[in-house]
């Protein structure tokens, strides 16, 4: 996105002069786009096209990083103020289209006052000089402190704990990362590397994505890492990032990725991005995460004894499946989360059945048995209850995993395996690199089946009780009496 033109800048300056004599604008307030689960997340009035994020890491993962975030956007309505999601950092200065701008903080918003009212439909370059603080509670997301550096875990609403942004998956953008770190550390980020530059005792690493990405999927790894490369289907570059001391120990798991990519391509079509790999981090999170092109895994998942091989394989496939379902096709709102997790769980279970003999039907029957209880505890799959304050990770509950995979099983039972497979391939092809809603899925399913499936899917998606399972009249819920 180019800088704003001289002619347009002159027009905006003229507008600014008129505005300076007008009444003072109201105090800055946090805004949001009204997401049902995160109403203050995201911001109206502009569409982000690209982020260019510069970070300087000083070798201590408890100290703030120096940062500069450049945002190229376009206004979608006239703006007197520009709200960005940002917290857990200190803002030093802000420019809008090359001109210094006043700013204030309101809750978790950075509120910027440009020089004059911005008309709709004009280019917007926002530059924020700030710090990015990895301190604080890791359970709230953002930076993860590892044994030798940092990594990111931004889902669902923690990207703005690292960099100023329009932190909602409905506004995907291209990303460039320029990360400076001591020369004995390795930096890896989403996308592909475009070069490194040495500056005395430091090295700057640059990465760019070739596809748009949601802020919650951003990933930067800084540490004493080994980058292990191999080739996937169609010559796809596969790169794994692991603690240097664990490269041999982890190799048996890492070697599985090309075959898992091939299997997923057989199910839904070609892998949608420019590269893939695992980021194995020496930290404890309690979860794995589908950060785009570089899925985050805990080191202990692979090094702790007691997990059967098939179980770890299926988790790897779960995060891989998200590259299609959730990353390439992103939810329009967080209530559409079931489309991400239901599909990833579905292919996780399918893989376990084909490669380890773990019955899909048995897993779905067990899920059906518990489904009414899950719905009572957390809401139906496509209308989940909001997470409790301070416990936003609780959004990721059983009803959006196996409870949502159950919807896909019911749909396949209803329309047949052949139509279901066509639907899955059409879904990821039609909505690649964009956002989609539950309603989009219902429409495409109906078109694929050749009949309106709205009434059939409505109960599965929104009902308090789980509908009867096609083909299995003997399946029953055994939810606790108090939850029925």
């Amino acid at each position: 996105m180019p800088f704003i033109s001289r002619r347009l800048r002159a027009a905006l300056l003229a507008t600014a002069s008129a505005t300076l004599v007008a009444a003072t604008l109201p105090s800055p307030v946090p805004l949001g786009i009204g997401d049902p689960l995160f109403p203050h997340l995201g911001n109206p009035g502009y569409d982000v096209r690209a982020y260019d994020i510069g970070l300087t890491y000083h070798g201590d993962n408890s100290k703030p990083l120096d940062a500069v975030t450049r945002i190229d956007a376009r206004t979608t309505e006239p703006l007197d103020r520009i709200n960005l999601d940002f917290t857990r950092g200190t803002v030093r200065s802000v420019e809008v289209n090359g001109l210094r701008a006043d700013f204030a903080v309101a809750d978790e918003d950075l509120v910027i006052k440009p020089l004059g009212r911005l008309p709709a439909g004009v280019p917007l370059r926002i530059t924020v000089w700030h710090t990015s603080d990895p301190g604080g509670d890791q359970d709230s997301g953002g930076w993860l402190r590892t044994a030798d550096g940092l990594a990111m875990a931004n889902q669902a609403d923690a990207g703005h704990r690292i960099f100023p942004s329009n932190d909602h998956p409905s506004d995907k953008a291209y990303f460039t990362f320029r990360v400076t770190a001591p020369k004995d550390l390795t930096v890896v980020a989403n996308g592909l590397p475009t070069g490194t530059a040495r500056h005395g005792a430091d090295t700057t690493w640059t990465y760019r994505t070739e596809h748009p990405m949601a802020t919650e999927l951003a990933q930067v790894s800084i540490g004493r890492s080994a980058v292990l490369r191999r080739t996937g289907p169609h010559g796809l570059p596969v790169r794994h990032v692991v603690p240097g001391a664990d490269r041999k120990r982890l190799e048996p798991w890492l070697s599985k990725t090309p075959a898992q990519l091939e299997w997923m391509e057989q199910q839904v079509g070609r892998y949608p991005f420019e590269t893939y790999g695992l980021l194995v981090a020496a930290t404890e999170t309690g979860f794995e995460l589908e950060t785009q092109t570089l899925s985050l895994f805990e080191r202990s998942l692979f090094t702790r004894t007691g997990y059967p091989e098939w179980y770890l394989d299926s988790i790897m496939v779960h995060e891989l499946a998200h590259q299609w379902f959730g990353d390439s096709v992103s939810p329009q709102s967080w209530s559409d989360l079931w489309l991400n997790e239901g599909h990833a769980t579905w292919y996780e279970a399918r893989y376990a059945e084909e490669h380890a003999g773990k019955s899909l039907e048995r897993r779905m029957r067990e899920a059906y048995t518990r489904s009414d209880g899950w719905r009572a505890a957390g809401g139906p799959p496509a209308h989940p209850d909001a997470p409790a304050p301070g416990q936003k990770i609780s959004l990721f509950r059983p009803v959006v995993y196996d409870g949502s995979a159950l919807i896909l099983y019911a749909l396949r039972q209803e329309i047949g395996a052949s139509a279901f497979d066509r639907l899955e391939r059409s879904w990821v092809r039609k909505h690649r690199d964009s956002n989609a809603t539950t309603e989009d899925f219902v429409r495409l399913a109906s078109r694929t089946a050749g009949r309106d499936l709205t009434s059939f899917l409505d109960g599965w998606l929104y009902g308090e009780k789980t509908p009867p399972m096609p083909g299995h009249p003997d399946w029953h819920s055994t939810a606790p009496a108090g939850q029925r």
Side-chain angles (χ1 to χ4, degrees), residues 286-418:
F287 58 83
E288 324 310 319
L289 185 60
E290 64 274 16
T291 39
Q292 189 163 309
T293 72
L294 189 62
S295 293
L296 174 68
F297 288 81
E298 300 167 283
R299 174 185 176 275
S300 61
L301 183 72
F302 300 107
T303 58
R304 182 187 301 147
T305 58
Y307 293 129
E309 183 177 4
W310 73 265
Y311 174 74
L312 297 185
D313 288 346
S314 67
I315 292 177
M316 292 172 68
V317 170
H318 180 107
E319 304 308 331
L320 173 59
H322 269 308
Q323 302 298 311
W324 285 264
F325 301 95
D327 293 12
S328 179
V329 184
S330 299
Q332 182 66 25
S333 78
W334 278 110
S335 294
D336 299 311
L337 176 64
W338 80 272
L339 287 164
N340 301 15
E341 299 299 347
H343 276 101
T345 303
W346 173 257
Y347 289 102
E348 164 199 330
R350 288 272 318 283
Y351 190 87
E353 180 176 60
E354 290 191 20
H355 292 81
K358 302 298 178 181
S359 170
L360 173 68
E361 183 174 317
R362 179 180 301 171
R363 179 168 176 171
M364 292 297 99
R365 182 167 187 166
E366 291 176 357
Y368 191 91
T369 298
R370 301 177 182 180
S371 180
D372 278 358
W374 290 339
R375 288 170 183 248
H383 194 265
D385 296 341
Q391 302 177 25
K392 293 180 180 180
I393 200 70
S394 68
L395 175 63
F396 297 86
R397 52 181 76 111
V399 74
V400 302
Y401 290 92
D402 281 57
S404 296
L406 198 61
I407 299 172
L408 302 177
Y409 182 82
L411 181 58
R412 191 175 71 164
Q413 290 287 106
E414 178 72 11
I415 68 176
S418 178

Side-chain angles (χ1 to χ4, degrees), residues 2-12 123:
F3 281 106
I4 195 164
S5 70
R6 293 181 181 177
R7 180 178 297 176
L8 183 55
R9 181 178 296 181
L12 293 178

Side-chain angles (χ1 to χ4, degrees), residues 124-160:
L124 187 61
R125 163 66 70 89
I126 307 166
T127 304
V128 183
W129 287 267
H130 61 99
T131 63
S132 184
D133 192 350
D137 183 6
Q138 291 204 145
D139 292 340
S140 62
W143 284 117
L144 292 175
R145 297 183 296 277
T146 67
D148 57 0
L150 294 170
M152 289 185 186
N154 296 335
Q155 199 176 78
D157 68 330
H160 68 282

Side-chain angles (χ1 to χ4, degrees), residues 25-37:
L25 290 171
S27 299
V29 295
L31 298 178
I33 60 172
D35 186 283
L37 300 180

Side-chain angles (χ1 to χ4, degrees), residues 118-324:
L118 298 170
V122 300
L124 187 61
R125 163 66 70 89
I126 307 166
T127 304
V128 183
W129 287 267
H130 61 99
T131 63
S132 184
D133 192 350
D137 183 6
Q138 291 204 145
D139 292 340
S140 62
W143 284 117
L144 292 175
R145 297 183 296 277
T146 67
D148 57 0
L150 294 170
M152 289 185 186
N154 296 335
Q155 199 176 78
D157 68 330
H160 68 282
R161 293 182 175 89
I162 296 177
F163 56 93
S165 62
N166 199 26
D167 193 13
H168 191 274
S170 62
D171 194 1
K172 298 167 71 166
Y174 292 89
F175 278 74
T176 298
F177 296 95
R178 308 174 196 274
V179 184
T180 300
K183 63 183 180 182
D184 58 335
L185 301 181
T186 298
V187 175
V188 183
N190 310 93
L192 293 172
T194 62
T196 59
R198 182 69 61 83
H199 315 280
D202 295 329
T203 300
T204 298
W205 308 68
T206 303
Y207 291 83
R208 288 193 177 94
T209 66
E210 294 184 359
H211 298 263
M213 179 171 71
T215 50
E216 48 112 358
L217 301 173
Q219 184 57 267
V220 171
S221 166
I222 306 170
R224 300 184 187 280
S225 306
V227 181
L228 309 179
R229 305 183 189 279
R230 46 180 44 89
T231 302
H234 321 290
L236 178 75
V238 175
R239 49 91 190 267
H240 298 302
V241 183
V242 304
D246 295 310
R247 57 188 303 168
K248 290 185 178 180
R249 186 177 186 180
L250 295 171
E251 177 58 29
W253 300 106
L254 306 178
S255 65
K256 295 171 179 281
T257 298
Q260 291 171 347
L261 280 159
E262 290 179 5
W263 185 82
M264 273 302 303
E265 287 195 347
Q266 291 168 6
Q267 313 312 308
V268 293
R270 194 153 178 166
Y271 177 73
F273 297 123
E274 62 270 27
T275 184
Y276 185 66
L278 276 61
L279 166 59
V280 182
T283 188
E284 295 297 324
T285 61
F287 58 83
E288 324 310 319
L289 185 60
E290 64 274 16
T291 39
Q292 189 163 309
T293 72
L294 189 62
S295 293
L296 174 68
F297 288 81
E298 300 167 283
R299 174 185 176 275
S300 61
L301 183 72
F302 300 107
T303 58
R304 182 187 301 147
T305 58
Y307 293 129
E309 183 177 4
W310 73 265
Y311 174 74
L312 297 185
D313 288 346
S314 67
I315 292 177
M316 292 172 68
V317 170
H318 180 107
E319 304 308 331
L320 173 59
H322 269 308
Q323 302 298 311
W324 285 264

